[in-house]
Amino acid sequence: MLSQRARYALKALIHLAGHGGGPLAAPAIAEAISAPPKFLEIILRELKASGLIASTRGRSGGFALARPADAISLGDILRATDGPIALVACASRQFYKRCDDCDETTCALRRTMVAVRDRTAALMDGYTLAEAAR
């Protein structure tokens, strides 16, 4: 299940992708996607730190995509907000952590979760922000 943080991040970036122009102020984005402004500002800072968006200061400043919308996958956004796509840490590629209670070479649960992760990641990484904004 997507966290509320991920949902607002996806909505904000889809909005920015559909905007297709210069930067938008955080309050305008929050209003457009019906998000709490303070919570969205925290999310936008995280997305900026992850390199998905850029910000400019000043009267005409705000947030804009750091890359073209067709170069940002939904998987990129989910990893930036929620961390691993894998359901268990031992099946994660980017956030791997060994399980204390199993042998990874023979664990049927791990093998299954790796397959689930691979299919989920392929779907999420294959769907771009540009496609979502259309």
Side-chain angles (χ1 to χ4, degrees), residues 15 18-20 26 29 34 43-44 67 69 74 90 97 100 107 115 122-123:
H15 181 71
H19 175 66
I29 299 169
S34 300
I43 295 167
L44 293 172
R67 307 190 303 248
L74 298 188
C90 68
K97 183 180 174 199
D100 295 331
C107 182
L123 285 170

Side-chain angles (χ1 to χ4, degrees), residues 25-45:
I29 299 169
E31 183 177 339
I33 66 168
S34 300
K38 294 289 185 188
F39 187 39
L40 185 63
E41 285 185 32
I42 294 167
I43 295 167
L44 293 172
R45 282 195 298 267

Side-chain angles (χ1 to χ4, degrees), residues 104-128:
E104 290 182 358
T105 61
T106 61
C107 182
L109 176 61
R110 181 178 188 275
R111 277 195 313 274
T112 302
M113 290 298 110
V114 166
V116 169
R117 178 219 52 215
D118 288 347
R119 289 182 183 150
T120 303
L123 285 170
M124 299 307 286
D125 291 336
Y127 200 75
T128 68

Side-chain angles (χ1 to χ4, degrees), residues 6-118:
R7 289 175 54 130
Y8 286 143
L10 288 164
K11 287 180 178 185
L13 293 183
I14 290 168
H15 181 71
L16 287 173
H19 175 66
L24 290 176
I29 299 169
E31 183 177 339
I33 66 168
S34 300
K38 294 289 185 188
F39 187 39
L40 185 63
E41 285 185 32
I42 294 167
I43 295 167
L44 293 172
R45 282 195 298 267
E46 291 173 356
L47 295 171
K48 181 181 176 199
S50 70
L52 295 175
I53 61 175
S55 66
T56 54
R57 293 180 178 236
R59 177 175 283 171
S60 61
F63 294 93
L65 298 178
R67 307 190 303 248
D70 61 357
I72 299 173
S73 74
L74 298 188
D76 294 332
I77 300 165
L78 292 179
R79 286 183 192 94
T81 56
D82 285 356
I85 289 177
L87 297 175
V88 292
C90 68
S92 180
R93 283 193 179 135
Q94 296 179 344
F95 302 93
Y96 172 83
K97 183 180 174 199
R98 182 174 170 76
C99 294
D100 295 331
D101 61 346
C102 74
D103 175 10
E104 290 182 358
T105 61
T106 61
C107 182
L109 176 61
R110 181 178 188 275
R111 277 195 313 274
T112 302
M113 290 298 110
V114 166
V116 169
R117 178 219 52 215
D118 288 347

